[in-house]
């Protein structure tokens, strides 16, 4: 996930969209774009990725997640995930 977030910053994306079985996508200037060279994320990998950053009031058992994440450098991200 840190690599995906770094690519979101580099692309000046407003959102990172994660859907099990599909390649991750970035919202850049209002348009959803797949991240070049990144393969689809399977359900188990997506679950593991998200479990590390989910706010305490959310669970990977939820089918749709929309939350923000702040990294160690203080950068804030909006994350949408569909399990």
């Amino acid at each position: 996930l840190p690599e995906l977030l770094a690519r979101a910053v580099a692309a000046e994306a407003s959102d990172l969209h994660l859907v099990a079985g599909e390649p991750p996508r970035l919202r850049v200037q209002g348009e959803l774009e797949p991240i070049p060279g990144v393969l689809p994320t399977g359900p188990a990998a997506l679950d593991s990725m998200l479990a590390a950053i989910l706010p305490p009031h959310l669970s990977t058992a939820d089918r749709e997640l929309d939350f923000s994440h702040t990294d160690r450098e203080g950068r804030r991200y909006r994350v949408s995930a569909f399990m």
Side-chain angles (χ1 to χ4, degrees), residues 5-82:
L5 294 174
R7 291 181 81 171
V9 170
E12 298 181 0
S14 62
D15 297 59
L16 169 62
H17 288 254
L18 301 169
V19 179
E22 295 185 20
R25 290 180 173 82
L26 299 176
R27 184 174 302 281
V28 179
Q29 297 180 351
E31 298 293 322
L32 280 177
E33 305 173 357
I35 302 173
V38 179
L39 298 174
T41 306
L46 182 56
D47 186 78
S48 175
M49 229 189 290
L50 294 173
I53 65 166
L54 272 178
H57 67 281
L58 295 176
S59 165
T60 57
D62 296 326
R63 303 310 308 157
E64 293 183 24
L65 296 166
D66 189 22
F67 62 96
S68 64
H69 168 68
T70 303
D71 69 13
R72 293 179 188 177
E73 288 78 33
R75 291 180 296 233
R76 187 170 180 265
Y77 303 92
R78 184 173 155 194
V79 179
S80 299
F82 302 90

